[in-house]
Amino acid sequence: MTNSADWTARDDAAVWHPFTQHANWVDDRPTVVERAEGPWLIDVDGRRYLDGVSSLWTTTLGHCHPDVNAAVTEQLAKLDHSTFLGTTHTPGIELAERLIALAPRGDGPDLTKVFYAGDGSSAVEAALKIAYQYSAQTGHPRPKFVRLEYAYHGDTLGAVSVGGHSLFHETYKPLLLETIGIASPGDRALGPERNARAIAELQSVMRSEGDQVCAIIVEPMIQGAAGMFDYDAAFLRAARELAHTSGALLIFDEVATGFGRTGKMWAAEHAGVVPDLLTCGKGITAGYLPLSAVLAAEHVYEAFLARPGDTGPRTFFHGHTYTGNPLCCAAALANLRVMEELDVVGQAARLGERLGKLLEPIAAHEHVKEVRRLGTMIGVEVEPRTARTGFDVCQAARERGVWLRPLGDTVIVMPPLTLGETETDLLVDALAEAVDEVLV
Ligand SMILES: Cc1ncc(COP(=O)(O)O)c(C=O)c1O
C-alpha cells in the first residue's frame, strides 16, 4: 500500500505548492489528505485530523455533505459546463437571485446584480476594474484606490496592489497600481485610538485626493490574513459616508467574512452598512468548488449600459472561461439551502460564543499576547520564540489530531460553522496543550 512517505516523496519531485518555502517543506512533512467526513480530514495512512481552519476558510457545513454531494452529482448528469459569455443556465440564474435576496441591507444601495468570477482574487480583480471603469463612465477616470494597511485581498496583481501585507506584497511593488494606504482601524500597535486615527486619515485622503479615488476597498469588520485584526463598525460607517460624498465606490471584500463566518451572513451586517460592490467567494460553494462573485449596486450596473451619443462601448470587457460554472453554482445553491434550513448562521454565532468562552484560559496564558475573534474567525497571537513559533504550535496541535495553520505568530482557528460540541472541545484542548508545549 502506498503510504504518506511514498506520496510526500512523489510530491517533492513533482509539485510546487502555494505560499510554501520548498527548502523547508522537506522537514515539514505535509499531511497527505485522502478523504474527508464532516469536520475531519483523513490522510492516506488513515489518521484523522479535525479541520480547524475549514480548509483555508472555505468549508461551511463540513466536508462531503450529503445534500451538496447530491446537488453536484445531479447537476453533473445534466450540464457540466457551458460558457456564460453569450449563453446562460438555470443554476447561474437561480444563484444570482438567491445572492441578491441574501445581500446585506442598510445604509447604502441595494445590491441587485451578480457578476461571477472564480477565486476570491479574481472577484477582487473584477471589482477594481468595475470601480475604475465606473469612474470613467460617470465623470472622469479616477486611477487611485484607497486601501488599509495590513489588508489582504488576494494574489493577482490588482488584488496585491490594494493589499498591505509587507511579507506577501513588498516584492511586487514595482508592478502595482496606484494606491493610497491608510492606517488600519484594527492595528493594535496604534493603541485604543486606532479607529479614530484610521477615520481621520481616510477623511484627510478623501479631502485632498478624493476626486482621484475610484474606490475605497476594505475587509469589513476584520482583516483576516493580517492575523484576525477585528475593528470597530464606526470605521465602516465613516467609509460609507466619505465614499458617498466624494463620488468613490465603497468595496467590501467579504471573501473571508461572507456566508456566516462572523456569526452573521455578512460582516457588513455588524455595521448596518451596504457597499456599492461586495466581493465574496470561499464559503459560497460550502468549500467544494472555486466560485466567487461581485454583487453590484444598480447604479454601478447602469453606468455600463450603452446609451445614445456614447463614444465608447461601456461594456465590461472582463470574464473567465469558467465564469459561472454550473457545477459550482449547484454546489452554492445547495450550500445556501442547507444553511437556511439548519440556521447555520445562527449555529455559527453560537459556536463563536462558545469558542470565545473556551479560549478564555488560553487568552490568559502568560505567553499568549491576544485572542482576537469575530464570530468563528479567531486569531490566537503568541509570543514569538523563533521565526516559526506559530507554526510550531500548529505542528503540536497536529500531533494531537487538530489541523491548524498560522499566519506568522498568530494561530488561526476557523472551524466549519456546524462544528459539534465534542469536536469544539477537542479543538480547544489540543490548542491549549500545544500552546503549553511550545510556549513553556
Ligand atoms: C479577504 C480576502 N480576499 C480575497 C482573498 C483571495 O481569495 P482566493 O485565495 O480565493 O483568491 C482572500 C483569501 O484569503 C481573502 O481573505
Side-chain angles (χ1 to χ4, degrees), residues 103-429:
R105 302 272 184 274
D107 179 15
D110 286 351
L111 301 171
T112 54
K113 291 289 185 296
V114 175
F115 186 92
Y116 290 118
D119 289 284
S121 307
S122 56
V124 168
E125 213 67 34
L128 298 177
K129 284 175 71 180
I130 290 171
Y132 173 70
Q133 193 172 338
Y134 173 86
S135 77
Q137 291 176 178
T138 53
H140 60 277
R142 299 167 174 227
K144 298 185 184 176
F145 297 90
V146 174
R147 61 171 175 87
L148 295 183
E149 281 305 307
Y150 303 104
Y152 180 79
H153 298 287
D155 300 329
T156 50
L157 284 177
V160 168
S161 302
V162 290
H165 198 299
S166 56
L167 178 66
F168 300 161
H169 299 149
E170 195 63 27
T171 311
Y172 309 104
K173 242 183 174 165
L175 307 179
L176 304 181
L177 304 173
E178 217 178 325
T179 63
I180 308 165
I182 62 161
S184 159
D187 181 2
R188 279 19 190 201
L190 301 176
E193 295 307 309
R194 54 187 173 262
N195 204 48
R197 160 98 174 261
I199 293 174
E201 285 192 19
L202 186 57
Q203 280 166 338
S204 156
V205 160
M206 296 314 277
R207 209 177 301 122
S208 58
E209 298 181 71
D211 74 335
Q212 290 301 299
V213 172
C214 67
I216 302 167
I217 179 165
V218 297
E219 294 153 87
M221 299 303 296
I222 183 163
Q223 294 182 291
M228 300 300 167
F229 284 8
D230 57 319
Y231 64 85
D232 197 309
F235 176 79
L236 298 178
R237 291 193 276 271
R240 176 63 283 175
E241 174 68 22
L242 287 163
H244 185 68
T245 50
S246 70
L249 298 183
L250 181 62
I251 305 174
F252 280 0
D253 178 358
E254 295 245 18
V255 167
T257 50
F259 304 103
R261 243 356 121 174
T262 69
K264 295 192 185 287
M265 181 56 92
W266 308 104
E269 293 172 27
H270 292 276
V273 168
V274 182
D276 303 290
L277 294 169
L278 182 152
T279 57
C280 58
K282 287 195 187 274
I284 188 171
T285 59
Y288 271 57
L289 287 161
L291 179 72
S292 63
V294 183
L295 276 53
E298 195 64 18
H299 70 98
V300 178
Y301 174 76
E302 277 178 357
F304 287 73
L305 298 179
R307 57 200 71 175
D310 277 352
T311 51
R314 281 184 188 262
T315 309
F316 186 42
F317 288 110
H318 183 99
H320 301 286
T321 308
Y322 287 104
T323 291
N325 171 270
L327 297 171
C328 302
C329 292
L333 279 166
N335 178 38
L336 295 177
R337 198 165 43 242
V338 175
M339 284 188 74
E340 187 182 21
E341 279 165 13
L342 302 183
D343 181 27
V344 170
V345 177
Q347 286 190 52
R350 291 188 289 280
L351 172 63
E353 288 297 315
R354 184 149 194 277
L355 278 164
K357 287 217 164 47
L358 293 174
L359 287 167
E360 277 169 13
I362 297 182
H365 190 286
E366 59 175 328
H367 300 304
V368 170
K369 283 179 149 176
E370 192 180 30
V371 174
R372 298 180 282 274
R373 181 182 73 84
L374 183 67
T376 65
M377 294 179 70
I378 298 165
V380 178
E381 185 175 348
V382 298
E383 276 176 11
R385 291 289 160 81
T386 65
R388 289 168 31 113
T389 310
F391 179 84
D392 291 342
V393 172
C394 293
Q395 286 293 83
R398 186 170 104 170
E399 280 156 24
R400 292 164 173 83
V402 171
W403 208 92
L404 297 170
R405 190 174 160 83
L407 278 159
D409 303 325
T410 301
V411 175
I412 302 302
V413 178
M414 206 157 151
L417 307 178
T418 52
L419 195 71
E421 292 198 354
T422 314
E423 288 89 357
T424 307
D425 291 345
L426 187 124
L427 192 164
V428 175
D429 289 349

